[in-house]
Structures are given as structure tokens and as C-alpha cells.
Amino acid sequence: MGTNTMLDLPAIKKLCEAASEAPWEVGHEPQLNMVAECGDTRNGQSLYVFAYRLAPAQADAEFIAACRTNVPALVEELTEARGKLEVVERAAENYAGQAGRDPLFDAGMIAAGEGILAILGESE
């Protein structure tokens, strides 16, 4: 994914909401190569993930099972962060319209801007 490409959070959230309910669990059924049970589906049937190679199967199963709860949490946190970023961007636009009117105001806004950039990791 390129740096200018934003995730479609509503679409990801919709996928999460359509998936069978959490928790998904890691299991093992040697005869079937089953490594993860993905909860009960809407019709009461369980969904299983199978592996056809043995070595990384446990790590894959743990990843798949964790995604059921981690992806919705990440979508929620990123949505919140985007909202906060929009507030900061609006404040910056407001400041840009008032810059140069009052040296004390400008000095305070420059200091605040440097602090925000430092928090964002864009400045030292």
C-alpha cells in the first residue's frame, strides 16, 4: 500500500461485523490439519481453518484467531485518531489565517506546532 493510500475503515468495519462472532480460538486436529476454529457462524456451524504445512501452522492459527478481535480494535483506534487529526488540521488552518497579527500569538502557536510535530515524530 502506498503512503498516500488510506484504508477504507467503514468497509473494514463492515467486514468485521459480518464475520462470525469472537472469540476465535486456536485448536489442533491432527487428522484434518485443522489449526483454528473461527467461532460459531450465523447458522450455528463452526468455521475451521486448515493448514497443509506443519511448521508455521501454529503461528498462522494464532494470527488468524487474534485478528478477529484485533482488527476491529485497530479500526476503532484509527477512526478516533483520524478524527483528532482533523481537529488539529482545522486548528492549523485557523492559525494560518491569523498568523502575523500578533507576535506573542505567533510565538505561542509556533511552540505548540513544534510540540505537535515532535509528538507525531516529524521533528526532533
Short mmCIF file of all heavy atoms in Angstrom, two decimals, residues 43-109:
data_model
loop_
_atom_site.label_atom_id
_atom_site.label_comp_id
_atom_site.label_asym_id
_atom_site.label_seq_id
_atom_site.Cartn_x
_atom_site.Cartn_y
_atom_site.Cartn_z
N ASN A 43 -25.42 -19.63 11.36
CA ASN A 43 -26.34 -20.76 11.35
C ASN A 43 -25.95 -21.84 12.37
O ASN A 43 -26.46 -22.95 12.31
CB ASN A 43 -26.44 -21.35 9.94
CG ASN A 43 -25.12 -21.93 9.46
OD1 ASN A 43 -24.15 -21.98 10.20
ND2 ASN A 43 -25.09 -22.37 8.23
N GLY A 44 -25.05 -21.51 13.29
CA GLY A 44 -24.68 -22.46 14.34
C GLY A 44 -23.56 -23.41 13.98
O GLY A 44 -23.18 -24.25 14.78
N GLN A 45 -23.05 -23.32 12.78
CA GLN A 45 -21.94 -24.18 12.35
C GLN A 45 -20.62 -23.50 12.68
O GLN A 45 -20.52 -22.28 12.62
CB GLN A 45 -22.02 -24.41 10.83
CG GLN A 45 -23.29 -25.06 10.37
CD GLN A 45 -23.29 -26.54 10.63
OE1 GLN A 45 -22.25 -27.18 10.55
NE2 GLN A 45 -24.44 -27.10 10.96
N SER A 46 -19.61 -24.27 12.99
CA SER A 46 -18.29 -23.70 13.22
C SER A 46 -17.53 -23.63 11.90
O SER A 46 -17.72 -24.45 11.01
CB SER A 46 -17.49 -24.55 14.22
OG SER A 46 -18.04 -24.41 15.50
N LEU A 47 -16.67 -22.63 11.81
CA LEU A 47 -15.81 -22.46 10.65
C LEU A 47 -14.41 -22.84 11.07
O LEU A 47 -13.94 -22.41 12.12
CB LEU A 47 -15.84 -20.99 10.19
CG LEU A 47 -14.86 -20.58 9.11
CD1 LEU A 47 -15.25 -21.25 7.78
CD2 LEU A 47 -14.86 -19.07 8.94
N TYR A 48 -13.74 -23.64 10.27
CA TYR A 48 -12.39 -24.09 10.61
C TYR A 48 -11.41 -23.64 9.55
O TYR A 48 -11.74 -23.53 8.38
CB TYR A 48 -12.35 -25.62 10.71
CG TYR A 48 -13.26 -26.16 11.78
CD1 TYR A 48 -14.53 -26.60 11.47
CD2 TYR A 48 -12.84 -26.19 13.11
CE1 TYR A 48 -15.38 -27.07 12.46
CE2 TYR A 48 -13.69 -26.65 14.10
CZ TYR A 48 -14.95 -27.10 13.77
OH TYR A 48 -15.77 -27.56 14.75
N VAL A 49 -10.19 -23.36 9.98
CA VAL A 49 -9.10 -23.02 9.08
C VAL A 49 -8.14 -24.20 9.08
O VAL A 49 -7.76 -24.71 10.13
CB VAL A 49 -8.37 -21.74 9.53
CG1 VAL A 49 -7.18 -21.46 8.64
CG2 VAL A 49 -9.34 -20.57 9.53
N PHE A 50 -7.75 -24.64 7.89
CA PHE A 50 -6.88 -25.80 7.76
C PHE A 50 -5.51 -25.39 7.24
O PHE A 50 -5.38 -24.43 6.49
CB PHE A 50 -7.50 -26.81 6.79
CG PHE A 50 -8.81 -27.34 7.28
CD1 PHE A 50 -10.00 -26.72 6.93
CD2 PHE A 50 -8.85 -28.44 8.11
CE1 PHE A 50 -11.21 -27.19 7.40
CE2 PHE A 50 -10.06 -28.93 8.58
CZ PHE A 50 -11.24 -28.30 8.22
N ALA A 51 -4.49 -26.12 7.66
CA ALA A 51 -3.12 -25.86 7.20
C ALA A 51 -2.60 -27.12 6.51
O ALA A 51 -2.84 -28.23 6.97
CB ALA A 51 -2.22 -25.52 8.37
N TYR A 52 -1.91 -26.92 5.43
CA TYR A 52 -1.35 -28.06 4.71
C TYR A 52 0.15 -28.12 4.84
O TYR A 52 0.82 -28.81 4.12
CB TYR A 52 -1.78 -27.99 3.24
CG TYR A 52 -3.27 -28.15 3.13
CD1 TYR A 52 -4.09 -27.06 2.94
CD2 TYR A 52 -3.85 -29.40 3.27
CE1 TYR A 52 -5.47 -27.20 2.87
CE2 TYR A 52 -5.22 -29.56 3.20
CZ TYR A 52 -6.02 -28.46 3.01
OH TYR A 52 -7.38 -28.60 2.96
N ARG A 53 0.71 -27.36 5.75
CA ARG A 53 2.12 -27.45 6.12
C ARG A 53 2.17 -27.35 7.63
O ARG A 53 1.42 -26.61 8.25
CB ARG A 53 2.94 -26.37 5.44
CG ARG A 53 2.41 -24.99 5.61
CD ARG A 53 3.16 -24.02 4.69
NE ARG A 53 2.40 -22.82 4.49
CZ ARG A 53 2.38 -21.80 5.34
NH1 ARG A 53 3.10 -21.84 6.42
NH2 ARG A 53 1.66 -20.75 5.09
N LEU A 54 3.05 -28.08 8.23
CA LEU A 54 3.01 -28.22 9.68
C LEU A 54 3.78 -27.15 10.45
O LEU A 54 3.31 -26.67 11.46
CB LEU A 54 3.52 -29.61 10.08
CG LEU A 54 2.69 -30.76 9.53
CD1 LEU A 54 3.32 -32.08 9.92
CD2 LEU A 54 1.26 -30.67 10.02
N ALA A 55 4.96 -26.75 10.00
CA ALA A 55 5.83 -25.90 10.82
C ALA A 55 5.20 -24.57 11.25
O ALA A 55 5.10 -24.32 12.43
CB ALA A 55 7.15 -25.66 10.09
N PRO A 56 4.76 -23.70 10.33
CA PRO A 56 4.25 -22.40 10.78
C PRO A 56 2.76 -22.41 11.12
O PRO A 56 2.18 -21.38 11.40
CB PRO A 56 4.52 -21.49 9.59
CG PRO A 56 4.44 -22.39 8.42
CD PRO A 56 4.94 -23.74 8.90
N ALA A 57 2.12 -23.56 11.08
CA ALA A 57 0.67 -23.62 11.25
C ALA A 57 0.22 -23.02 12.58
O ALA A 57 -0.79 -22.32 12.64
CB ALA A 57 0.17 -25.05 11.11
N GLN A 58 0.94 -23.27 13.66
CA GLN A 58 0.54 -22.75 14.97
C GLN A 58 0.58 -21.22 14.97
O GLN A 58 -0.35 -20.57 15.43
CB GLN A 58 1.45 -23.30 16.07
CG GLN A 58 1.08 -22.84 17.46
CD GLN A 58 -0.23 -23.42 17.96
OE1 GLN A 58 -0.67 -24.48 17.51
NE2 GLN A 58 -0.87 -22.72 18.87
N ALA A 59 1.65 -20.64 14.43
CA ALA A 59 1.76 -19.17 14.37
C ALA A 59 0.66 -18.59 13.48
O ALA A 59 0.08 -17.56 13.80
CB ALA A 59 3.13 -18.76 13.87
N ASP A 60 0.36 -19.26 12.37
CA ASP A 60 -0.71 -18.80 11.48
C ASP A 60 -2.05 -18.84 12.19
O ASP A 60 -2.84 -17.90 12.09
CB ASP A 60 -0.77 -19.66 10.21
CG ASP A 60 0.43 -19.48 9.30
OD1 ASP A 60 1.18 -18.50 9.49
OD2 ASP A 60 0.60 -20.31 8.40
N ALA A 61 -2.30 -19.91 12.92
CA ALA A 61 -3.57 -20.05 13.64
C ALA A 61 -3.71 -18.97 14.70
O ALA A 61 -4.78 -18.38 14.85
CB ALA A 61 -3.66 -21.43 14.27
N GLU A 62 -2.65 -18.71 15.43
CA GLU A 62 -2.69 -17.67 16.46
C GLU A 62 -2.96 -16.30 15.84
O GLU A 62 -3.71 -15.49 16.38
CB GLU A 62 -1.41 -17.68 17.28
CG GLU A 62 -1.30 -18.90 18.16
CD GLU A 62 0.06 -19.06 18.83
OE1 GLU A 62 0.92 -18.17 18.66
OE2 GLU A 62 0.25 -20.08 19.51
N PHE A 63 -2.34 -16.05 14.68
CA PHE A 63 -2.56 -14.78 13.98
C PHE A 63 -4.01 -14.64 13.53
O PHE A 63 -4.65 -13.62 13.75
CB PHE A 63 -1.61 -14.69 12.77
CG PHE A 63 -1.82 -13.46 11.94
CD1 PHE A 63 -1.29 -12.24 12.34
CD2 PHE A 63 -2.55 -13.51 10.76
CE1 PHE A 63 -1.48 -11.10 11.58
CE2 PHE A 63 -2.75 -12.37 10.00
CZ PHE A 63 -2.21 -11.17 10.41
N ILE A 64 -4.55 -15.69 12.91
CA ILE A 64 -5.92 -15.66 12.42
C ILE A 64 -6.89 -15.44 13.58
O ILE A 64 -7.81 -14.61 13.50
CB ILE A 64 -6.26 -16.96 11.66
CG1 ILE A 64 -5.47 -17.00 10.34
CG2 ILE A 64 -7.76 -17.08 11.40
CD1 ILE A 64 -5.46 -18.37 9.68
N ALA A 65 -6.69 -16.18 14.65
CA ALA A 65 -7.59 -16.06 15.81
C ALA A 65 -7.52 -14.66 16.42
O ALA A 65 -8.53 -14.08 16.78
CB ALA A 65 -7.24 -17.13 16.85
N ALA A 66 -6.32 -14.09 16.52
CA ALA A 66 -6.15 -12.76 17.10
C ALA A 66 -6.76 -11.67 16.23
O ALA A 66 -7.25 -10.66 16.74
CB ALA A 66 -4.67 -12.48 17.34
N CYS A 67 -6.76 -11.87 14.93
CA CYS A 67 -7.30 -10.85 14.02
C CYS A 67 -8.77 -10.57 14.28
O CYS A 67 -9.23 -9.44 14.08
CB CYS A 67 -7.12 -11.28 12.57
SG CYS A 67 -5.42 -11.10 11.99
N ARG A 68 -9.53 -11.54 14.76
CA ARG A 68 -10.96 -11.34 14.96
C ARG A 68 -11.25 -10.25 15.98
O ARG A 68 -12.22 -9.52 15.87
CB ARG A 68 -11.63 -12.66 15.39
CG ARG A 68 -13.13 -12.52 15.59
CD ARG A 68 -13.78 -12.08 14.27
NE ARG A 68 -15.17 -11.76 14.41
CZ ARG A 68 -15.66 -10.53 14.57
NH1 ARG A 68 -14.86 -9.49 14.66
NH2 ARG A 68 -16.95 -10.33 14.65
N THR A 69 -10.40 -10.11 16.97
CA THR A 69 -10.60 -9.05 17.95
C THR A 69 -9.67 -7.86 17.70
O THR A 69 -10.05 -6.72 17.98
CB THR A 69 -10.39 -9.58 19.39
OG1 THR A 69 -9.14 -10.27 19.46
CG2 THR A 69 -11.51 -10.53 19.77
N ASN A 70 -8.49 -8.11 17.17
CA ASN A 70 -7.54 -7.01 16.96
C ASN A 70 -7.93 -6.08 15.82
O ASN A 70 -7.75 -4.87 15.93
CB ASN A 70 -6.13 -7.56 16.71
CG ASN A 70 -5.51 -8.16 17.95
OD1 ASN A 70 -5.96 -7.91 19.06
ND2 ASN A 70 -4.48 -8.96 17.77
N VAL A 71 -8.43 -6.61 14.73
CA VAL A 71 -8.78 -5.76 13.58
C VAL A 71 -9.89 -4.77 13.95
O VAL A 71 -9.76 -3.57 13.69
CB VAL A 71 -9.12 -6.59 12.32
CG1 VAL A 71 -9.70 -5.70 11.22
CG2 VAL A 71 -7.87 -7.30 11.82
N PRO A 72 -10.99 -5.21 14.58
CA PRO A 72 -12.00 -4.21 14.97
C PRO A 72 -11.44 -3.16 15.93
O PRO A 72 -11.79 -1.98 15.84
CB PRO A 72 -13.10 -5.05 15.65
CG PRO A 72 -12.95 -6.41 15.06
CD PRO A 72 -11.47 -6.58 14.83
N ALA A 73 -10.57 -3.57 16.86
CA ALA A 73 -9.97 -2.61 17.78
C ALA A 73 -9.09 -1.61 17.04
O ALA A 73 -9.11 -0.41 17.33
CB ALA A 73 -9.17 -3.33 18.86
N LEU A 74 -8.33 -2.08 16.07
CA LEU A 74 -7.48 -1.19 15.28
C LEU A 74 -8.32 -0.21 14.46
O LEU A 74 -7.98 0.98 14.36
CB LEU A 74 -6.57 -2.00 14.35
CG LEU A 74 -5.44 -2.75 15.03
CD1 LEU A 74 -4.79 -3.73 14.07
CD2 LEU A 74 -4.41 -1.78 15.59
N VAL A 75 -9.41 -0.69 13.89
CA VAL A 75 -10.30 0.20 13.12
C VAL A 75 -10.84 1.30 14.04
O VAL A 75 -10.87 2.47 13.67
CB VAL A 75 -11.45 -0.61 12.47
CG1 VAL A 75 -12.53 0.33 11.91
CG2 VAL A 75 -10.90 -1.49 11.35
N GLU A 76 -11.27 0.92 15.25
CA GLU A 76 -11.80 1.91 16.18
C GLU A 76 -10.74 2.94 16.58
O GLU A 76 -11.01 4.15 16.58
CB GLU A 76 -12.32 1.20 17.44
CG GLU A 76 -13.01 2.11 18.42
CD GLU A 76 -13.58 1.36 19.61
OE1 GLU A 76 -14.06 0.23 19.43
OE2 GLU A 76 -13.55 1.93 20.71
N GLU A 77 -9.54 2.48 16.89
CA GLU A 77 -8.48 3.41 17.29
C GLU A 77 -8.07 4.32 16.14
O GLU A 77 -7.84 5.51 16.34
CB GLU A 77 -7.27 2.64 17.81
CG GLU A 77 -7.48 2.10 19.21
CD GLU A 77 -6.20 1.61 19.85
OE1 GLU A 77 -5.12 2.18 19.57
OE2 GLU A 77 -6.29 0.65 20.62
N LEU A 78 -7.98 3.77 14.93
CA LEU A 78 -7.58 4.58 13.78
C LEU A 78 -8.66 5.59 13.43
O LEU A 78 -8.37 6.74 13.08
CB LEU A 78 -7.26 3.69 12.58
CG LEU A 78 -6.68 4.39 11.36
CD1 LEU A 78 -5.49 5.27 11.70
CD2 LEU A 78 -6.30 3.36 10.31
N THR A 79 -9.92 5.21 13.57
CA THR A 79 -11.02 6.15 13.33
C THR A 79 -10.93 7.31 14.31
O THR A 79 -11.08 8.48 13.93
CB THR A 79 -12.38 5.42 13.46
OG1 THR A 79 -12.43 4.37 12.48
CG2 THR A 79 -13.54 6.37 13.25
N GLU A 80 -10.68 7.00 15.59
CA GLU A 80 -10.53 8.04 16.60
C GLU A 80 -9.33 8.94 16.30
O GLU A 80 -9.42 10.17 16.39
CB GLU A 80 -10.37 7.41 17.98
CG GLU A 80 -10.26 8.41 19.10
CD GLU A 80 -10.09 7.74 20.46
OE1 GLU A 80 -10.49 6.59 20.64
OE2 GLU A 80 -9.54 8.42 21.36
N ALA A 81 -8.21 8.34 15.90
CA ALA A 81 -7.02 9.13 15.59
C ALA A 81 -7.25 10.04 14.39
O ALA A 81 -6.81 11.20 14.38
CB ALA A 81 -5.83 8.21 15.33
N ARG A 82 -7.95 9.54 13.38
CA ARG A 82 -8.26 10.38 12.22
C ARG A 82 -9.13 11.57 12.62
O ARG A 82 -8.95 12.67 12.12
CB ARG A 82 -8.96 9.57 11.13
CG ARG A 82 -8.02 8.68 10.36
CD ARG A 82 -8.74 7.99 9.24
NE ARG A 82 -7.87 7.12 8.48
CZ ARG A 82 -8.30 6.31 7.51
NH1 ARG A 82 -9.58 6.29 7.19
NH2 ARG A 82 -7.43 5.54 6.88
N GLY A 83 -10.08 11.33 13.52
CA GLY A 83 -10.93 12.42 13.99
C GLY A 83 -10.11 13.49 14.70
O GLY A 83 -10.32 14.68 14.50
N LYS A 84 -9.17 13.07 15.53
CA LYS A 84 -8.31 14.02 16.24
C LYS A 84 -7.42 14.77 15.26
O LYS A 84 -7.19 15.97 15.42
CB LYS A 84 -7.48 13.29 17.28
CG LYS A 84 -8.31 12.80 18.46
CD LYS A 84 -7.47 12.05 19.46
CE LYS A 84 -8.31 11.57 20.63
NZ LYS A 84 -7.53 10.82 21.62
N LEU A 85 -6.93 14.08 14.25
CA LEU A 85 -6.09 14.73 13.25
C LEU A 85 -6.88 15.81 12.51
O LEU A 85 -6.34 16.88 12.22
CB LEU A 85 -5.52 13.71 12.28
CG LEU A 85 -4.61 14.25 11.18
CD1 LEU A 85 -3.41 14.99 11.77
CD2 LEU A 85 -4.15 13.12 10.27
N GLU A 86 -8.13 15.53 12.21
CA GLU A 86 -8.97 16.54 11.54
C GLU A 86 -9.10 17.79 12.40
O GLU A 86 -9.07 18.91 11.87
CB GLU A 86 -10.35 15.96 11.23
CG GLU A 86 -10.34 14.96 10.10
CD GLU A 86 -11.71 14.34 9.86
OE1 GLU A 86 -12.72 14.90 10.34
OE2 GLU A 86 -11.76 13.29 9.20
N VAL A 87 -9.23 17.63 13.70
CA VAL A 87 -9.32 18.78 14.61
C VAL A 87 -8.02 19.59 14.55
O VAL A 87 -8.04 20.82 14.47
CB VAL A 87 -9.62 18.32 16.05
CG1 VAL A 87 -9.48 19.48 17.04
CG2 VAL A 87 -11.01 17.71 16.13
N VAL A 88 -6.88 18.90 14.58
CA VAL A 88 -5.59 19.58 14.51
C VAL A 88 -5.44 20.31 13.18
O VAL A 88 -4.96 21.45 13.13
CB VAL A 88 -4.43 18.58 14.73
CG1 VAL A 88 -3.08 19.20 14.43
CG2 VAL A 88 -4.46 18.03 16.15
N GLU A 89 -5.85 19.66 12.09
CA GLU A 89 -5.74 20.30 10.78
C GLU A 89 -6.61 21.56 10.69
O GLU A 89 -6.19 22.57 10.14
CB GLU A 89 -6.13 19.30 9.67
CG GLU A 89 -5.08 18.23 9.47
CD GLU A 89 -5.52 17.13 8.51
OE1 GLU A 89 -6.75 16.97 8.29
OE2 GLU A 89 -4.64 16.42 8.01
N ARG A 90 -7.82 21.50 11.25
CA ARG A 90 -8.69 22.69 11.25
C ARG A 90 -8.07 23.82 12.08
O ARG A 90 -8.11 24.98 11.70
CB ARG A 90 -10.08 22.34 11.77
CG ARG A 90 -10.95 21.63 10.75
CD ARG A 90 -12.42 21.61 11.15
NE ARG A 90 -12.68 21.00 12.44
CZ ARG A 90 -12.89 19.70 12.63
NH1 ARG A 90 -12.86 18.88 11.61
NH2 ARG A 90 -13.14 19.24 13.85
N ALA A 91 -7.47 23.47 13.22
CA ALA A 91 -6.81 24.48 14.05
C ALA A 91 -5.64 25.11 13.30
O ALA A 91 -5.43 26.32 13.37
CB ALA A 91 -6.34 23.86 15.36
N ALA A 92 -4.89 24.28 12.57
CA ALA A 92 -3.75 24.80 11.81
C ALA A 92 -4.23 25.75 10.71
O ALA A 92 -3.62 26.80 10.47
CB ALA A 92 -2.95 23.65 11.20
N GLU A 93 -5.34 25.39 10.06
CA GLU A 93 -5.89 26.27 9.02
C GLU A 93 -6.36 27.59 9.63
O GLU A 93 -6.15 28.66 9.05
CB GLU A 93 -7.04 25.57 8.30
CG GLU A 93 -6.58 24.44 7.40
CD GLU A 93 -7.74 23.61 6.87
OE1 GLU A 93 -8.92 23.96 7.13
OE2 GLU A 93 -7.46 22.61 6.20
N ASN A 94 -6.96 27.52 10.80
CA ASN A 94 -7.42 28.72 11.50
C ASN A 94 -6.23 29.61 11.86
O ASN A 94 -6.26 30.82 11.70
CB ASN A 94 -8.22 28.34 12.75
CG ASN A 94 -8.81 29.56 13.43
OD1 ASN A 94 -9.32 30.47 12.78
ND2 ASN A 94 -8.74 29.58 14.74
N TYR A 95 -5.17 29.00 12.37
CA TYR A 95 -3.97 29.75 12.73
C TYR A 95 -3.36 30.42 11.49
O TYR A 95 -2.97 31.57 11.54
CB TYR A 95 -2.92 28.85 13.39
CG TYR A 95 -1.56 29.49 13.42
CD1 TYR A 95 -1.31 30.60 14.23
CD2 TYR A 95 -0.53 29.04 12.60
CE1 TYR A 95 -0.08 31.22 14.24
CE2 TYR A 95 0.70 29.67 12.61
CZ TYR A 95 0.92 30.75 13.42
OH TYR A 95 2.14 31.37 13.42
N ALA A 96 -3.32 29.67 10.38
CA ALA A 96 -2.72 30.22 9.16
C ALA A 96 -3.43 31.50 8.74
O ALA A 96 -2.81 32.42 8.22
CB ALA A 96 -2.77 29.18 8.04
N GLY A 97 -4.71 31.56 9.00
CA GLY A 97 -5.47 32.76 8.64
C GLY A 97 -5.22 33.93 9.57
O GLY A 97 -5.55 35.07 9.25
N GLN A 98 -4.62 33.68 10.75
CA GLN A 98 -4.39 34.75 11.72
C GLN A 98 -2.91 35.05 11.94
O GLN A 98 -2.58 35.95 12.70
CB GLN A 98 -5.04 34.38 13.05
CG GLN A 98 -6.53 34.25 12.94
CD GLN A 98 -7.17 34.05 14.29
OE1 GLN A 98 -6.66 34.53 15.29
NE2 GLN A 98 -8.28 33.34 14.32
N ALA A 99 -2.03 34.31 11.32
CA ALA A 99 -0.59 34.49 11.52
C ALA A 99 -0.18 35.91 11.13
O ALA A 99 -0.69 36.49 10.18
CB ALA A 99 0.19 33.47 10.70
N GLY A 100 0.76 36.45 11.88
CA GLY A 100 1.32 37.77 11.58
C GLY A 100 0.58 38.92 12.21
O GLY A 100 1.02 40.06 12.10
N ARG A 101 -0.49 38.68 12.89
CA ARG A 101 -1.27 39.76 13.51
C ARG A 101 -0.74 40.12 14.90
O ARG A 101 -0.85 41.27 15.32
CB ARG A 101 -2.73 39.37 13.61
CG ARG A 101 -3.39 39.24 12.26
CD ARG A 101 -4.86 38.95 12.40
NE ARG A 101 -5.44 38.78 11.08
CZ ARG A 101 -6.66 38.37 10.88
NH1 ARG A 101 -7.44 38.09 11.91
NH2 ARG A 101 -7.12 38.23 9.66
N ASP A 102 -0.21 39.13 15.62
CA ASP A 102 0.24 39.37 16.99
C ASP A 102 1.48 38.51 17.24
O ASP A 102 1.40 37.29 17.24
CB ASP A 102 -0.88 38.98 17.97
CG ASP A 102 -0.50 39.19 19.43
OD1 ASP A 102 0.69 39.44 19.73
OD2 ASP A 102 -1.40 39.09 20.27
N PRO A 103 2.66 39.12 17.48
CA PRO A 103 3.90 38.36 17.67
C PRO A 103 3.83 37.36 18.83
O PRO A 103 4.37 36.26 18.74
CB PRO A 103 4.95 39.44 17.94
CG PRO A 103 4.38 40.69 17.37
CD PRO A 103 2.90 40.56 17.49
N LEU A 104 3.16 37.71 19.91
CA LEU A 104 3.04 36.79 21.04
C LEU A 104 2.20 35.58 20.66
O LEU A 104 2.54 34.45 20.99
CB LEU A 104 2.44 37.51 22.25
CG LEU A 104 2.39 36.72 23.55
CD1 LEU A 104 3.79 36.27 23.96
CD2 LEU A 104 1.77 37.56 24.66
N PHE A 105 1.11 35.83 19.95
CA PHE A 105 0.26 34.74 19.48
C PHE A 105 1.06 33.83 18.55
O PHE A 105 1.01 32.61 18.67
CB PHE A 105 -0.97 35.31 18.75
CG PHE A 105 -1.85 34.26 18.13
CD1 PHE A 105 -2.74 33.54 18.90
CD2 PHE A 105 -1.79 34.01 16.76
CE1 PHE A 105 -3.56 32.58 18.32
CE2 PHE A 105 -2.60 33.05 16.19
CZ PHE A 105 -3.48 32.33 16.96
N ASP A 106 1.81 34.45 17.63
CA ASP A 106 2.62 33.66 16.69
C ASP A 106 3.64 32.80 17.42
O ASP A 106 3.81 31.62 17.09
CB ASP A 106 3.34 34.58 15.70
CG ASP A 106 2.39 35.20 14.68
OD1 ASP A 106 1.22 34.76 14.60
OD2 ASP A 106 2.83 36.12 13.95
N ALA A 107 4.32 33.36 18.42
CA ALA A 107 5.33 32.61 19.16
C ALA A 107 4.69 31.42 19.87
O ALA A 107 5.25 30.31 19.88
CB ALA A 107 6.03 33.53 20.17
N GLY A 108 3.53 31.62 20.47
CA GLY A 108 2.84 30.52 21.14
C GLY A 108 2.41 29.44 20.17
O GLY A 108 2.54 28.24 20.46
N MET A 109 1.92 29.82 19.02
CA MET A 109 1.49 28.85 18.02
C MET A 109 2.67 28.10 17.43
O MET A 109 2.58 26.91 17.15
CB MET A 109 0.67 29.53 16.92
CG MET A 109 -0.68 30.03 17.41
SD MET A 109 -1.69 28.74 18.21
CE MET A 109 -2.04 27.67 16.83
#
